[in-house]
Amino acid sequence: MPASTGYSVSTLANLKDIDPSIRADRYIRAVQQTSSWYMFFASATNPDDGLNYITPTVGTGRWYRMRSMIVSSDILDLFEYVQDTIGNYFQDSVTLDFSYSDTTNTFSINLLPGTISDTHIAANANIAISKINGLVTTLQNKAESAHTHNAAVIIGLTEAVQDILATSLQSSNITINYDDGQGIIQLTAPSASGGGTADWDTIDETVWDSLF
């Protein structure tokens, strides 16, 4: 008959008191008091020694102490042993370097320089320019030392100049109107003293100075 395992009990007294109806031959129980497993043998008659052979309170048979219930904290240097064992399993590859520090109990996995190619990089990867080998030099080599362009082919240049000029014109004497749609800047001379429209030639130079 195969052994069947039950729940643990707190003391040997609890083990002795297990009811015969659930105490089948080769039945196993853990006892917390002794941190041991006990198996029940229905036909055993060994004298009860209070530890290795336990006589049940009711009925015949004996409980045999099998082995101690050892927990990981009871094993000296178990943590260290596991770490060392795992560390030995890691092997360097052509792209990765594995290392284990026995002092700090840490594992390190590092990518070896120059081992990543285009096939390893996702299309949407966010890579710093400083990490792209030779990018600056490549761009410098492709750029011309000097660029010459005809103003007529620069899109929006005229509009930009007009907007800048119109914004720059300031005067308290001359009325300035800028038609952005027509691209026209209109200057209106101030009224002459005594009425009428002043002649542009009579405008003091300081007025022109204020425009630029």
Side-chain angles (χ1 to χ4, degrees):
M1 174 186 295
S4 58
T5 304
Y7 299 103
S8 66
V9 293
S10 298
T11 65
L12 287 173
N14 297 141
L15 182 70
K16 294 169 66 73
D17 291 339
I18 292 177
D19 192 272
S21 63
I22 59 173
R23 191 185 62 209
D25 189 51
R26 298 178 184 272
Y27 185 72
I28 299 173
R29 277 291 178 99
V31 179
Q32 298 174 17
Q33 178 185 354
T34 59
S35 296
S36 302
W37 287 98
Y38 286 80
M39 178 179 285
F40 184 74
F41 290 91
S43 59
T45 58
N46 303 66
D48 189 329
D49 64 0
L51 178 63
N52 297 302
Y53 305 105
I54 304 299
T55 302
T57 302
V58 178
T60 59
R62 297 291 185 273
W63 289 97
Y64 278 33
R65 185 184 185 194
M66 300 172 58
R67 62 179 177 82
S68 298
M69 296 187 301
I70 301 175
V71 295
S72 60
S73 59
D74 295 328
I75 303 176
L76 298 178
D77 296 327
L78 175 63
F79 190 66
E80 177 72 17
Y81 173 80
V82 172
Q83 286 183 326
D84 291 343
T85 302
I86 295 176
N88 292 330
Y89 278 116
F90 286 105
Q91 300 295 322
D92 293 344
S93 68
V94 294
T95 58
L96 296 175
D97 172 66
F98 294 94
S99 62
Y100 166 58
S101 172
D102 192 55
T103 304
T104 60
N105 295 322
T106 56
F107 294 96
S108 297
I109 303 176
N110 299 302
L111 185 67
L112 294 174
T115 58
I116 293 298
S117 64
D118 290 345
T119 57
H120 299 110
I121 303 174
N124 60 347
N126 186 13
I127 303 175
I129 293 177
S130 60
K131 302 295 184 182
I132 304 177
N133 187 31
L135 175 63
V136 175
T137 301
T138 301
L139 294 177
Q140 289 174 339
N141 292 336
K142 291 184 178 295
E144 299 178 11
S145 58
H147 296 274
T148 302
H149 297 284
N150 189 313
V153 300
I154 301 178
I155 299 175
L157 177 61
T158 301
E159 174 72 15
V161 171
Q162 288 174 340
D163 291 344
I164 294 172
L165 178 59
T167 303
S168 300
L169 291 175
Q170 300 291 329
S171 175
S172 61
N173 302 90
I174 297 175
T175 302
I176 303 168
N177 293 305
Y178 171 50
D179 187 336
D180 188 58
Q182 297 294 323
I184 297 174
I185 300 174
Q186 184 181 45
L187 305 179
T188 303
S191 300
S193 58
T197 301
D199 190 335
W200 284 105
D201 294 335
T202 64
I203 299 176
D204 190 274
E205 290 183 358
T206 58
V207 177
W208 290 106
D209 292 340
S210 68
L211 294 174
F212 304 99

